[in-house]
Amino acid sequence: MTDKRTQLINAATDLFAREGFWNTSTARIAKHAGVATGTLFNYFASKEALIDAVYVEIKTRVADATLPGLPDLNDTVACFNHFWRTYIRWGVDNPIEHDLLQQMKLANMASQDVETQLHQQFAVMGQLLEHFSRLDNTVAVPLPYMVELIFAQLEVAIDSAIGANLTGAALQQHIDTGFAIALRSLTIN
């Protein structure tokens, strides 16, 4: 990524998180990035294209934080545990990006093309969840419902950790407890 493009994405991320998507003008983003307004349009055809770029950048950072070191997919619970831990740590370490990602998801901000592109990037997570849903002791719910349950629990865990300013051993205990609760909520004893 070029320096100016990076500056624009970082400025947009910061302003979108603080002021909202539609309250933030392209001129304000350019000024915050330290470039001329016209420069923004050299890199992004529209504000919507910039929003897509911000979304892709944040999701790529999530992938970079969560996918390396993923255990063999055949060990589904270990994979789920790895994703749980790394996603929460990413969210706690990047609260502005985490918040913005949630806003973007709720507001359905990303274009369909970007969603398709990212679906391919996270294909391994889809495979993991499919494997998990097929375990003998997993609750029988449609996969999209299971995904929503998992992400709702992840968001609560991240928001709680950030709100309580958890670090070190306290954060680790919070992550462990959250994982046990999430696993229990998705399985039948």
Side-chain angles (χ1 to χ4, degrees):
M1 225 184 314
T2 66
D3 287 336
K4 287 183 182 178
R5 186 174 193 281
T6 300
Q7 287 170 241
L8 287 161
I9 288 173
N10 290 340
T13 299
D14 183 46
L15 292 173
F16 289 158
R18 288 191 288 134
E19 300 174 5
F21 304 102
W22 306 120
N23 294 332
T24 305
S25 68
T26 53
R28 180 129 165 72
I29 294 166
K31 182 177 180 181
H32 195 61
V35 302
T37 302
T39 302
L40 184 145
F41 293 106
N42 290 334
Y43 293 93
F44 306 101
S46 63
K47 187 174 181 179
E48 290 75 14
L50 176 58
I51 290 170
D52 276 350
V54 167
Y55 189 72
V56 168
E57 181 64 25
I58 294 172
K59 292 288 274 193
T60 298
R61 291 176 187 173
V62 169
D64 291 347
T66 59
L67 297 181
L70 195 65
D72 185 299
L73 281 181
N74 291 322
D75 192 348
T76 307
V77 174
C79 286
F80 180 30
N81 189 322
H82 172 85
F83 181 75
W84 181 270
R85 292 171 187 284
T86 56
Y87 188 83
I88 291 174
R89 287 195 181 277
W90 175 84
V92 168
D93 291 344
N94 301 282
I96 291 171
E97 290 181 356
H98 169 260
D99 241 18
L100 185 57
L101 188 61
Q102 298 320 301
Q103 290 177 44
M104 293 178 103
K105 180 181 173 190
L106 289 172
N108 201 24
M109 296 300 294
S111 70
Q112 190 57 49
D113 288 344
V114 163
E115 288 291 357
T116 301
Q117 172 192 339
L118 291 171
H119 181 74
Q120 294 169 352
Q121 185 177 6
F122 283 92
V124 69
M125 294 313 300
Q127 293 170 356
L128 166 64
L129 291 170
E130 280 185 43
H131 285 203
F132 186 77
S133 70
R134 287 191 209 127
L135 294 176
D136 289 339
N137 63 338
T138 303
V139 293
V141 295
L143 189 57
Y145 182 64
M146 182 178 288
V147 169
E148 290 301 320
L149 286 172
I150 291 168
F151 275 94
Q153 291 177 52
L154 280 164
E155 300 318 319
V156 167
I158 292 168
D159 291 344
S160 297
I162 291 170
N165 243 357
L166 297 179
T167 60
L171 177 59
Q172 187 58 51
Q173 180 61 42
H174 176 76
I175 291 170
D176 291 344
T177 301
F179 180 72
I181 292 167
L183 192 59
R184 195 173 313 127
S185 73
L186 299 170
T187 56
I188 301 167
N189 294 335

